[in-house]
Amino acid sequence: MIPLPHQAAKAAIQQALQEDAGSGDVTTAALFPTPCAARATLVARQHAVAAGVIIARDTFLAVDPTLRITHVAEEGTPVREGVPLLEVTGDGRSLLMAERVALNFLQRLSGIATLTAQFCHAVRGYRTKIFDTRKTTPGLRLLEKWAVRIGGGHNHRQNLSDGILIKDNHLALLRAMGRSVADACRIARERAPHGLRIIVEVDRLAQVRDALEGKADIILLDNMTPEEVHHAVDLIKGRALVEVSGGITLGNVREMAAAGADFISIGALTHSAPAVDISMELVPHRQKTARRRRP
C-alpha cells in the first residue's frame, strides 16, 4: 500500500468543506429539521482505478464522526462499472452535506490514477518509467502525485527544492550572458546542493551534445518526435539517462518507449486527467435493533 499523505489530506478536506458548506446546507436544513437514517453508497459508473477512497471516507467522518463506514474499497483496485467503492450509514443530513466534496476528491484522484495506469500499460515490456510533473492543482499537489503512484507511475520533483532541472527559460537567460548548455550544467553542479542529479532540457540534437559535454545526469528531450528521440539516444550512448516530455499521448507513448526513453514525464496525468464518473446513491436506512433474549 502506498502511504497517503495524511496531513495534506486532512488540510485539503477541511478547506474543501469550508468552501462548500458556506454558512450551512440550507436546502437540507429546510427539508429535514430532524435526523433521518440513511445509507449512502458511492458507485463507479465506468471502469477505473480507485484512488481517494480513504479521503472520501474521511470527508464523511469530518462532517459527522458518528457516521458508520460499512464498506471501503482498497486504493488502487481496478473497478468495473457498478462496483461500490464506499458505503456509509447514519444521519442522512450529514451524508448530503459531505456528498459533493467526497465525490470531488474521489472522482479527481481516481481519474489521475486511471489515466496513469493507461500510460503505464501502454509501455509494458519496456524499461521506461512514467513520471508526472509539477503541473498540478494548486494546494493539491501531494494528493495528486499520490494518485499517480496509485496508478503505477512515479513522481518527478515534488517542488523546486527537490532537484536541479535546467529548463528552456533558464537557458534563455544564460544565453544572454554568453553561457551555453554545457556551462549551465557545470555551474549547477558546482553550486547546487550535493547529491542532486542535474537534469537539462533540450529541444535539438546540438544541445544534446552540449549537455553531454556538461556531464548532465539526465537529458530531457522536449517535444521531439520518436525518430528524433531515437537519434538522440544513439548520440548519448548511455552516458546520461534519457527523459522525454512534451506532446506525449496514449497514441505515441509506446513509440517513445521503443525509441529508448528511460523516463517519460507527462503533465496531462495531473492537469488533464478526466474525472471518473462516480455517483452517490442514497436510500433510507432502518437501524437494526438487538433482539431481547427470553428469560
Side-chain angles (χ1 to χ4, degrees):
M1 174 65 72
I2 297 167
L4 175 72
H6 287 286
Q7 288 301 115
K10 183 177 179 180
I13 289 168
Q14 290 301 326
Q15 182 177 0
L17 288 173
Q18 290 170 11
E19 175 184 71
D20 197 51
S23 58
D25 182 354
V26 294
T27 307
T28 300
L31 295 175
F32 306 102
T34 59
C36 54
R39 181 179 69 248
T41 306
L42 277 59
V43 179
R45 296 301 182 194
Q46 64 179 90
H47 285 45
V49 174
V53 185
I54 299 301
I55 299 175
R57 178 202 67 184
D58 290 351
T59 299
F60 283 103
L61 295 176
V63 168
D64 184 351
T66 70
L67 294 174
R68 293 189 300 110
I69 310 299
T70 54
H71 172 73
V72 184
E74 185 176 350
E75 303 285 12
T77 302
V79 295
R80 302 181 306 278
E81 180 181 353
V83 170
L85 301 176
L86 181 68
E87 187 175 276
V88 190
T89 61
D91 190 343
R93 299 175 303 174
S94 299
L95 299 174
L96 289 166
M97 183 175 289
E99 175 183 6
R100 185 69 269 153
V101 171
L103 285 174
N104 284 348
F105 280 124
L106 189 53
Q107 291 175 313
R108 172 70 179 151
L109 297 176
S110 294
I112 291 171
T114 300
L115 183 59
T116 301
Q118 291 169 351
F119 273 102
C120 291
H121 183 268
V123 300
R124 281 175 61 181
Y126 292 99
R127 69 176 186 275
T128 309
K129 294 180 179 180
I130 299 297
F131 276 77
D132 57 22
T133 71
R134 287 168 38 246
K135 296 177 182 177
T136 53
T137 306
L140 296 180
R141 177 171 295 172
L142 289 178
L143 299 184
E144 292 182 346
K145 281 179 169 284
W146 169 80
V148 167
R149 294 176 63 202
I150 289 292
H154 299 265
N155 296 151
H156 212 288
R157 296 186 298 171
Q158 292 285 353
N159 52 57
L160 291 172
S161 68
D162 204 26
I164 302 294
L165 174 47
I166 305 168
K167 295 178 67 67
D168 56 348
N169 283 331
H170 296 111
L171 295 173
L173 292 177
L174 286 169
R175 275 196 300 272
M177 301 164 59
R179 301 288 193 172
S180 67
V181 171
D183 292 331
C185 296
R186 285 192 286 262
I187 292 168
R189 192 174 301 280
E190 290 170 5
R191 299 177 180 174
H194 179 71
L196 293 180
R197 293 194 295 187
I198 306 299
I199 309 172
V200 61
E201 178 184 272
V202 302
D203 57 16
R204 52 189 183 275
L205 292 179
Q207 290 182 318
V208 172
R209 296 185 182 92
D210 283 347
L212 289 170
E213 182 185 339
K215 300 188 185 307
D217 297 300
I218 301 174
I219 300 176
L220 193 165
L221 308 176
D222 185 46
N223 282 300
M224 290 191 180
T225 65
E227 292 75 20
E228 289 171 325
V229 170
H230 181 76
H231 289 315
V233 170
D234 282 347
L235 181 61
I236 293 167
K237 295 187 187 316
R239 288 174 286 175
L241 294 172
V242 177
E243 180 177 348
V244 174
S245 188
I248 306 298
T249 67
L250 285 169
N252 66 16
V253 69
R254 189 167 181 83
E255 288 183 89
M256 294 297 189
D262 296 292
F263 316 125
I264 300 178
S265 51
I266 306 168
L269 297 182
T270 51
H271 73 60
S272 296
V276 171
D277 186 3
I278 300 170
S279 64
M280 186 176 97
E281 298 174 355
L282 191 65
V283 297
H285 179 68
R286 184 171 295 177
Q287 300 287 349
K288 293 181 179 180
T289 57
R291 291 184 178 180
R292 289 186 178 180
R293 293 183 178 179
R294 293 183 179 180

